[in-house]
Each structure stands twice: as C-alpha cells, then as structure tokens.
C-alpha cells in the first residue's frame, strides 16, 4: 500500500443495495440462503469425489478443483456483503478492499483457466478415446491444474498492486457490491489510461483466449459426436459436455460483460446484477448443474448420503 499515505482515503464505503433500504432484510435473507447452499453444495461435491475412488479420474478431479474455486470465490465476496446488509456497517478498510480485489481476480482467473482445461479434457476423451489415457495422464492433469492456479495468482498480482498505487483523493463511496476493479477505478483521481489499456489487453488474454479455445474444442467435439454410430453414445457424450457448456456460458458471458464493457455501457444497478451472476449465481448453480446431469455424480452423492448420513442415524 505504498501510496496510501498520499491519499486522503483510508477506508471505502460499499453502497451495495443502499438505494433499496426497505428491501435490506429480504436481500440479506436471500443472500444468506444462497451462500449457505453454495458452501454446502460445493463441499458435498468435493467430499463425494474425494471419497469415491471411481471418480478419481481427470474429469471429476477438475470438477473438484472447480468446486474449491467456487467456495473460495463465494467466501471472498459474500461474508462482507452479509455484514453490510445486517449491521449497516458499510465501511471496508483500504487494505481489506484491495485484499478482496486480489482474491476476486485470483479465483476468477483460476476459474477461466480451469474451464479451459476441462474443455481440453472433454476434447481428448471424446475425439481421441483410445489415446485418452496417454493424452490425459496424471502428469498432464497435475500440470494443467497447477498452471490454472499459478496463472490465477499471477493474474491478480499486477493489477492489484498497480491500483493500490493510485491516489484516491475524492469520494470513497464504491457504488458496487464488492471491491472489484472497475468500480474502484472510478474513484481514482489520476490518469489511468495506461492501466486501462493493460487491463483491457489482460482481460482479452485471460477471458477471451480460453473462451475461444473452449469454443474450438467444442466445435471439434460436436463433429466427433455427430460421427458416432450409436445413439446412446451420442446422448452420453452430449450429456457429459452439457454441464461444462452451461458453466462456461454463465461464467464467461457475465464476466466478459463486466470487464470488457465501456465505462458508460450500463447503469450501476445493471453492473451489480451482472456481477452477481458470475460471483454469486455461478458458484450456487455449479453443484446442481454437474450433479443433476451426471449419473456418476448422482451415484457418488447417493453413496455418500448412505454412508455418512443414513448409517449414522441407525
């Protein structure tokens, strides 16, 4: 925080939903339920994959890492939001705000790369089934997971460090739900043109390049599925890919709208809703998306239920 002493701002105010004071209690209740369901749902998936040896294959181990990211992503944003809604304590310290920004970028970047790795895994499994054990062996899987996490860490360091060096000498009210970079940058009283070029270029590389890679992978997967002689095989392949495609659409669609939009593109309330879509809704829906459309996950969840819940009640 090397420039904090040069700034008159030592804390920020998260406005959140302050323009709807009559709905604060209802919003708090809804977000509390969403947060608890997100934690429970993703934790159950992590535990089911950990305890079921049949799921110790790349497809489900990638999903396990994705669930870890979703839990961490949600935990970065939701607790502070719930405190604001329940106690009217809307302030967040200078250090706390930029710590939150760092972890939002870290887990967001990691999720981008993980979704890309999952697309590659599906491509290898469907387009090259005989060579799949060689293409996606344990070493390749570990490298892809490590690359995703390390890339997320590196992606977050530069912009967060750069933004902390800007002077904040005007308003300290962040008209948003959290300390994401775009709304925080609106409070900077300095020329941020170079940072905006860097941020736009970085977002293109981090969001759009993996997305285009996923799109290319699924085009090849589609052609491979259409060539399958068995209707059952085609249905199974489509079902396997549908969950991942749904997650990709939810996450990339809303994240790109938030980080690639022009400054005057949307109102503040619209930006908040789009932010909720990828930071709150996606972590909530991922457990449902993957468990309801996957027979192996359903079997593992039922096994976990019988062993850990039913047996303990007997």
């Amino acid at each position: 925080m090397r420039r904090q002493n040069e700034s008159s701002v030592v804390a920020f105010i998260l406005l959140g939903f302050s323009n709807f004071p009559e709905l604060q209690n209802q919003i708090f209740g809804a977000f509390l339920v969403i947060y608890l369901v997100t934690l429970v749902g993703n934790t159950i998936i992590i535990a089911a994959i950990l305890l079921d040896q049949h799921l110790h294959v790349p497809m489900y181990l990638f999903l396990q890492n994705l669930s870890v990211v979703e839990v961490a992503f949600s935990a970065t944003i939701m607790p502070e939001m719930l405190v604001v809604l329940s106690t009217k304590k809307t302030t967040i310290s200078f250090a706390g705000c930029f710590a939150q920004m760092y972890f939002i970028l870290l887990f967001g970047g990691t999720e981008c790369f993980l979704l890309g790795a999952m697309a590659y895994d599906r491509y290898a499994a469907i387009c090259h089934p005989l060579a799949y054990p060689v293409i996606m062996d344990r070493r390749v899987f570990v490298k892809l997971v490590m690359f995703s996490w390390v890339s997320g860490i590196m992606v977050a360091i530069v912009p967060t460090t750069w933004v902390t060096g800007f002077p904040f000498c005007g308003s300290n009210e962040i008209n948003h739900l959290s300390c994401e970079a775009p709304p925080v940058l609106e409070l900077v009283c300095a020329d941020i043109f170079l940072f905006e070029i860097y941020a736009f270029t970085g977002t293109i590389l981090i969001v759009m390049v993996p997305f285009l890679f996923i799109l290319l992978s699924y085009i090849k997967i589609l052609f491979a599925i259409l060539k399958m002689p068995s209707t059952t095989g085609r249905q199974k392949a489509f079902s396997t890919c549908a969950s991942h495609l749904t997650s990709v659409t939810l996450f990339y669609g809303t994240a790109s709208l938030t980080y690639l939009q022009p400054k005057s593109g949307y109102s503040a309330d619209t930006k908040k809703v789009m932010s909720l879509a990828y930071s709150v809704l996606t972590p909530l829906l991922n457990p449902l998306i993957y468990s309801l459309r996957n027979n192996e996950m359903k079997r593992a969840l039922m096994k976990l239920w019988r062993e850990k819940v039913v047996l303990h009640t007997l």
Side-chain angles (χ1 to χ4, degrees), residues 118 127 239 242:
M118 293 171 76
C127 297
S239 178

Side-chain angles (χ1 to χ4, degrees), residues 237-292:
F238 272 123
S239 178
T240 300
C241 297
S243 300
H244 183 247
L245 275 175
T246 306
S247 293
V248 167
T249 303
L250 276 173
F251 183 77
Y252 277 99
T254 52
S256 60
L257 286 174
T258 298
Y259 284 90
L260 293 176
Q261 63 177 299
K263 283 186 176 181
S264 58
Y266 304 97
S267 67
D269 289 336
T270 303
K271 292 175 183 177
K272 293 174 190 178
V273 172
M274 289 191 299
S275 174
L276 285 175
Y278 73 84
S279 62
V280 176
L281 199 60
T282 303
L284 170 70
L285 294 179
N286 264 350
L288 295 175
I289 291 169
Y290 282 100
S291 59
L292 293 180

Side-chain angles (χ1 to χ4, degrees), residues 35-305:
Y35 184 47
L36 293 176
V37 172
T38 298
L39 291 182
V40 172
N42 283 286
T43 301
I44 288 174
I45 283 185
I46 293 169
I49 295 172
L50 181 67
L51 296 173
D52 193 329
Q53 293 291 326
H54 294 95
L55 300 183
H56 288 188
V57 294
M59 175 181 173
Y60 296 105
L61 294 175
F62 277 126
L63 174 58
Q64 187 179 49
N65 275 270
L66 183 63
S67 290
V68 170
V69 170
E70 302 294 27
V71 169
F73 204 164
S74 187
T76 298
I77 295 173
M78 293 297 289
E80 180 68 27
M81 195 184 302
L82 290 172
V83 170
V84 170
L85 290 169
S86 63
T87 65
K88 307 297 187 294
K89 177 184 177 295
T90 58
T91 58
I92 182 170
S93 69
F94 196 89
C97 185
F98 286 104
Q100 187 181 54
M101 181 188 295
Y102 172 79
F103 286 112
I104 289 172
L105 291 172
L106 188 161
F107 297 124
T110 302
E111 183 158 351
C112 284
F113 293 113
L114 268 177
L115 289 172
M118 293 171 76
Y120 176 70
D121 175 66
R122 292 300 83 212
Y123 162 76
I126 294 172
C127 297
H128 303 283
L130 298 179
Y132 177 73
V134 177
I135 296 173
M136 188 59 68
D137 62 13
R138 184 173 182 80
R139 287 186 303 172
V140 173
F141 164 76
V142 171
K143 286 179 181 178
L144 287 172
V145 170
M146 289 182 63
F147 173 79
S148 299
W149 281 98
V150 172
S151 296
I153 292 170
M154 298 305 295
V155 159
I157 289 175
V158 175
T160 307
T161 305
W162 197 341
V163 175
T164 60
F166 287 131
F168 296 87
C169 49
S171 171
N172 67 336
E173 294 184 344
I174 300 174
N175 191 12
H176 203 62
L177 306 163
S178 59
C179 288
E180 290 193 70
V184 172
L185 286 169
E186 293 178 4
L187 307 183
V188 173
C189 49
D191 184 5
I192 60 171
F193 180 69
L194 287 177
F195 178 84
E196 288 179 325
I197 293 176
Y198 166 83
F200 185 82
T201 305
T203 302
I204 290 291
L205 293 174
I206 296 161
V207 176
M208 298 309 295
V209 170
F211 177 75
L212 291 175
F213 174 79
I214 292 170
L215 185 62
L216 180 61
S217 297
Y218 273 103
I219 290 173
K220 293 185 176 181
I221 288 171
L222 177 61
F223 282 116
I225 291 175
L226 293 176
K227 291 178 182 178
M228 290 180 178
S230 167
T231 302
T232 304
R234 286 197 298 269
Q235 290 176 343
K236 184 177 180 181
F238 272 123
S239 178
T240 300
C241 297
S243 300
H244 183 247
L245 275 175
T246 306
S247 293
V248 167
T249 303
L250 276 173
F251 183 77
Y252 277 99
T254 52
S256 60
L257 286 174
T258 298
Y259 284 90
L260 293 176
Q261 63 177 299
K263 283 186 176 181
S264 58
Y266 304 97
S267 67
D269 289 336
T270 303
K271 292 175 183 177
K272 293 174 190 178
V273 172
M274 289 191 299
S275 174
L276 285 175
Y278 73 84
S279 62
V280 176
L281 199 60
T282 303
L284 170 70
L285 294 179
N286 264 350
L288 295 175
I289 291 169
Y290 282 100
S291 59
L292 293 180
R293 295 191 63 89
N294 189 291
N295 290 329
E296 286 295 310
M297 278 303 306
K298 290 179 186 177
R299 182 189 59 76
L301 293 173
M302 288 303 298
K303 180 180 177 182
L304 180 66
W305 172 263

